[in-house]
Amino acid sequence: MGIPTLRDGEVAIRPIRLRDARALERELVENRRWLRRWEATSPHGPAAFDARAGIRALLANARAGLGAPFAIEVGGEFAGQLNVSGIVYGSLSSATIGYWVSERFAGRGVTPAAVALATDHCFFGLGLHRMEICIRPENKASLRVVEKLGFRYEGLRRRYIHIDGDWRDHFCFALTVEELPQGLLRRWRDGRVPASAATIPDQDRVAAMRPLRYP
């Protein structure tokens, strides 16, 4: 199944293309300070960034049925990326969503709209059962996205993903298709998001502030 273009007002997500490489590089350079703390890195050391090679890898992953890479647009302008990764079917039927937007679009409801559009596509277009988002405890803007959309908090994952040069703890949130008979976008726009779904227990907040101790 091809990757569609999906819209909610001025926000759209569409398949990322090789010709997006220049815009992607420009946004990453201009938003370096804004994005660096949240960028995935390699535990084996720094690697040169090649936007076209990165897009090719995402497209190859999509052709294999393992992902769905989107560009986020606002009013037709390139605004960021949303990537559905780790798609599996069968008894799990699940995937993970990651995203970023340029600083100038923050606070305008762009990211929640993009995540809702992608989640609905995964549930009702791809037939998946569960969608997951994992967020660093320090990333308040991203945590606000799952709060707005009502993703359920599922737990703390210690030293889960290599981000900004080290293994970082992440809070995990998820939704299943049974929770959204009318879709995530409609639930959000209709103001029917459960108020406490994304609440993080105090003990997990405290644990995330402490280094993981080894025997």
Side-chain angles (χ1 to χ4, degrees):
M1 179 182 295
I3 300 173
T5 295
L6 305 166
R7 300 183 185 278
D8 176 54
E10 67 173 354
V11 178
I13 59 173
R14 60 159 175 80
I16 199 162
R17 304 178 291 241
L18 276 175
R19 62 179 177 268
D20 291 319
R22 182 171 295 178
L24 173 59
E25 288 179 341
R26 181 183 67 247
E27 295 300 325
L28 291 176
V29 169
E30 292 179 356
N31 289 270
R32 184 64 175 161
R33 179 191 59 81
W34 168 252
L35 297 173
R36 183 171 184 174
R37 290 186 67 197
W38 323 120
E39 288 179 351
T41 48
S42 170
H44 305 295
F49 176 74
D50 183 329
R52 289 181 66 84
I55 293 172
R56 286 193 187 98
L58 290 172
L59 295 176
N61 204 45
R63 287 192 294 272
L66 303 175
F70 291 94
I72 302 173
E73 291 185 338
V74 178
E77 182 180 358
F78 189 96
Q81 284 182 275
L82 184 148
N83 191 38
V84 179
S85 62
I87 294 177
V88 293
Y89 290 95
S91 56
L92 187 56
S93 293
S94 179
T96 298
I97 291 180
Y99 48 81
W100 64 267
V101 294
S102 299
E103 186 174 12
R104 68 184 182 281
F105 295 108
R108 294 171 51 179
V110 173
T111 308
V115 170
L117 287 166
T119 300
D120 285 347
H121 169 63
C122 289
F123 282 154
F124 306 113
L126 300 182
L128 296 179
H129 173 255
R130 180 178 180 277
M131 298 301 297
E132 178 178 287
I133 297 177
C134 294
I135 302 170
R136 283 188 60 182
E138 304 88 350
N139 194 339
K140 294 180 181 179
S142 238
L143 290 173
R144 184 65 184 134
V145 171
V146 293
E147 290 169 4
K148 286 182 177 180
L149 295 177
F151 273 74
R152 280 182 295 98
Y153 179 70
E154 291 198 333
L156 170 63
R157 296 186 180 178
R158 302 307 305 263
R159 296 177 60 80
Y160 180 53
I161 304 175
H162 203 273
I163 302 285
D164 190 25
D166 202 358
W167 294 104
R168 309 291 184 178
D169 291 352
H170 281 66
F171 292 140
C172 178
F173 304 83
L175 283 171
T176 61
V177 68
E178 293 90 350
E179 299 169 75
L180 302 164
Q182 293 182 316
L184 180 56
L185 182 66
R186 178 50 50 204
R187 186 179 76 167
W188 176 46
R189 291 303 191 197
D190 287 349
R192 294 185 287 108
V193 173
S196 61
T199 299
I200 301 163
D202 289 341
Q203 62 266 30
D204 283 2
R205 290 188 181 276
V206 171
M209 295 172 64
R210 296 174 177 167
L212 186 61
R213 298 187 182 278
Y214 301 95

